[in-house]
């Protein structure tokens, strides 16, 4: 992830653990029948024909809120992944705004612990400073607890920056948390450093800015922007090393759910691709639910 955005991610400290039983895996009949290659080619096809994109989206939108709110169909369960500064947090802002999913960003949960000065936070900060993964004994239960809460189960979830290792992915599967879709943002390394160094966060709204690509709207906002403690060129290179050494093992566990998206495009265009795929997926889930209920 991410942002310092609390959005729907909530504050881990404030969140009490609900002893809900873990989510059951999505039944196979509710999973998208399209193979990832079909979903990927779907987004490619839509991009090649903007008018078609518009038509398909506007057709699908009317039923969207009902399905996304969990009143009718199964809620969406989405993972978003990519290298540091590939745009995960930025896209999560846009996805949650439209789809009302509960945004759970591992980085945000950890930064909340750091800010609260807890023992876990102090320990986590040492690893974050080094650009390394925070140990599983801190992060695995933190994310599991947030995923288990009622809002995540009812509205669906958007898991940002998690899992980042094979062991985290395996633990999630064991707990029964299986995504409908795994979005991978692809951005070459040379672009990532510039994005990190120029990133700024609004502590009031949680919104993510970039001094060049997404500057603040007003001088008042500009004056209050902050920078993350790990947003230096040196630290992002360390984070990249960690990412590169783990990414393949994670991807291999989600082969059937991966949709790759070109993260170098302007953020609105990246979102448009994601939006097309999510809309299609929701329609499928809604249709599957409808046919069951009939
Ligand atoms: P985390 O907070 O998740 O950091 P990260 O993965 O390095 O990702 P970022 O938050 O840096 O980037 P992003 O992809 O969200 O990009 P953004 O949208 O902000 O993790 C921090 C640390 O916590 C880790 O190093 C680790 O120590 C620990 N941690 C986290 N998860 C863990 C886990 N699962 N296990 C163990 N430890 C864990 O965008 C970046 C900039 O680019 C912004 O300025 C934005 O405005 C700009 N931008 C975005 N999109 C575009 C675009 N399309 N065009 C131009 N500019 C854009």
């Amino acid at each position: 992830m991410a942002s310092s955005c609390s959005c729907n991610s909530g504050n881990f400290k404030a969140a009490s653990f609900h002893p809900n039983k873990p989510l059951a895996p999505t039944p196979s009949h509710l999973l998208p029948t399209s193979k990832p290659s079909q979903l990927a080619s779907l987004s490619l096809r839509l991009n090649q024909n903007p008018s078609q994109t518009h038509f398909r989206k506007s057709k699908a939108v009317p039923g969207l809120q009902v399905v996304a709110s969990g009143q009718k169909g199964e809620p969406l369960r989405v993972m978003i992944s990519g290298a540091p500064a590939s745009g995960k947090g930025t896209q999560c802002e846009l996805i949650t705004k439209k789809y009302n999913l509960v945004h759970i960003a591992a980085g945000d949960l950890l930064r909340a612990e750091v800010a609260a000065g807890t023992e876990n936070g102090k320990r986590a900060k040492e690893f974050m400073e080094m650009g390394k993964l925070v140990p599983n004994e801190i992060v695995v239960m933190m994310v599991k607890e947030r995923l288990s809460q009622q809002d995540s189960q009812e509205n669906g979830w958007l898991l940002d920056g998690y899992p980042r290792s094979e062991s985290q992915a395996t633990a999630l599967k064991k707990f029964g948390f299986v995504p409908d879709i795994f979005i991978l943002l692809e951005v070459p390394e040379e672009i990532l450093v510039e994005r990190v160094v120029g990133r700024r966060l609004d502590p009031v709204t949680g919104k993510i800015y970039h001094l060049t690509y997404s500057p603040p709207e007003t001088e008042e906002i500009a004056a209050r922007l902050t920078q993350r403690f790990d947003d230096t060129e040196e630290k992002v290179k360390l984070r990249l090393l960690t990412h590169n050494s783990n990414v393949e093992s994670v991807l291999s566990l989600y082969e059937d759910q991966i949709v790759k998206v070109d993260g170098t495009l302007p953020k609105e265009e990246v979102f448009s691709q994601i939006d097309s795929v999510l809309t299609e997926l929701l329609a499928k889930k809604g249709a599957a639910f409808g046919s069951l209920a009939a």
Side-chain angles (χ1 to χ4, degrees), residues 1-3 82-91 106-108 110-111 127-128 131-134 139 160-164 168 195-196 198-200 208-210 213-214 228 230-231 239 263-267 270:
M1 129 57 218
S3 65
S86 54
K88 302 181 292 293
T90 299
Q91 292 306 315
D108 285 348
L110 289 166
R111 277 184 288 278
F127 290 85
M128 295 167 86
K132 292 187 175 173
L133 293 184
V134 171
V139 92
D160 168 359
Y162 195 94
R164 287 193 202 213
Q168 290 179 1
R195 284 198 185 174
V196 159
R199 171 168 49 195
R200 296 293 182 275
I208 305 167
Y209 291 95
H210 189 282
Y213 305 121
S214 189
R228 258 169 56 174
D230 57 350
D231 268 356
R239 271 150 61 201
T264 63
L265 299 170
K267 68 177 184 182
V270 176

Side-chain angles (χ1 to χ4, degrees), residues 8-287:
N8 287 323
S9 62
N11 178 328
F12 175 68
K13 284 303 294 172
S16 59
F17 175 60
H18 289 227
N20 298 339
K21 63 178 177 5
L23 287 177
T26 306
S28 58
H29 62 274
L30 294 180
L31 287 171
T33 52
S34 304
K35 283 285 178 200
S37 56
Q38 288 173 294
L39 283 170
S41 68
L42 166 74
S43 78
L44 186 65
R45 207 169 60 237
L46 295 176
N47 290 333
Q48 285 166 343
N49 185 344
S51 60
Q52 189 185 8
T53 302
H54 179 72
F55 172 69
R56 291 179 71 98
K57 278 165 64 184
S58 53
K59 254 183 84 174
V61 160
L64 194 60
Q65 287 307 321
V66 180
V67 179
S69 68
Q71 291 168 24
K72 213 173 181 183
E74 278 281 307
L76 278 178
R77 291 151 194 168
V78 179
M79 287 181 181
I80 187 163
S81 172
S86 54
K88 302 181 292 293
T90 299
Q91 292 306 315
C92 285
E93 279 180 12
L94 300 168
I95 295 169
T96 47
K97 198 168 163 193
K98 175 160 182 181
Y99 291 89
N100 194 33
L101 302 177
V102 175
H103 177 207
I104 303 171
D108 285 348
L109 294 176
L110 289 166
R111 277 184 288 278
E113 291 287 308
V114 172
T118 64
E119 279 311 309
N120 276 346
K122 284 178 194 151
R123 188 142 173 256
K125 192 171 182 196
E126 289 170 26
F127 290 85
M128 295 167 86
E129 293 270 15
M130 294 185 287
K132 292 187 175 173
L133 293 184
V134 171
N136 279 353
E137 63 262 29
I138 296 177
V139 92
V140 168
M141 292 313 285
M142 184 182 279
V143 173
K144 178 189 179 249
E145 287 180 10
R146 189 64 192 87
L147 279 167
S148 301
Q149 286 172 20
Q150 198 175 354
D151 57 347
S152 307
Q153 297 196 37
E154 286 178 356
N155 295 352
W157 42 260
L158 173 60
L159 197 45
D160 168 359
Y162 195 94
R164 287 193 202 213
S165 65
E166 191 177 350
S167 56
Q168 290 179 1
T170 308
L172 265 190
K173 270 195 181 170
K174 206 177 94 194
F175 295 140
F177 295 107
V178 178
D180 302 308
I181 186 170
F182 186 107
I183 299 165
L184 178 65
L185 296 177
E186 297 189 300
V187 179
E189 291 197 7
E190 58 270 21
I191 295 179
L192 298 171
V193 173
E194 192 196 356
R195 284 198 185 174
V196 159
V197 175
R199 171 168 49 195
R200 296 293 182 275
L201 304 169
D202 184 343
V204 175
T205 62
K207 197 169 169 196
I208 305 167
Y209 291 95
H210 189 282
L211 295 179
T212 308
Y213 305 121
S214 189
E217 298 86 354
T218 65
E219 291 204 356
E220 188 190 346
I221 296 173
R224 68 184 185 221
L225 294 182
T226 59
Q227 201 169 8
R228 258 169 56 174
F229 66 81
D230 57 350
D231 268 356
T232 63
E233 183 168 345
E234 181 202 5
K235 283 180 182 146
V236 74
K237 286 183 174 163
L238 296 172
R239 271 150 61 201
L240 263 170
L241 286 176
T242 303
H243 170 78
N244 292 340
S245 61
N246 287 292
V247 64
E248 287 304 328
S249 61
V250 174
L251 294 183
S252 69
L253 291 169
Y254 294 103
E255 270 175 351
D256 290 344
Q257 290 107 318
I258 293 175
V259 173
K260 295 182 179 176
V261 176
D262 179 358
T264 63
L265 299 170
K267 68 177 184 182
E268 296 79 10
E269 289 180 38
V270 176
F271 178 65
S272 169
Q273 289 198 25
I274 293 173
D275 190 22
S276 296
V277 182
L278 292 184
T279 299
E280 189 79 10
L281 183 53
L282 259 182
K284 278 188 197 302
K285 285 176 74 108

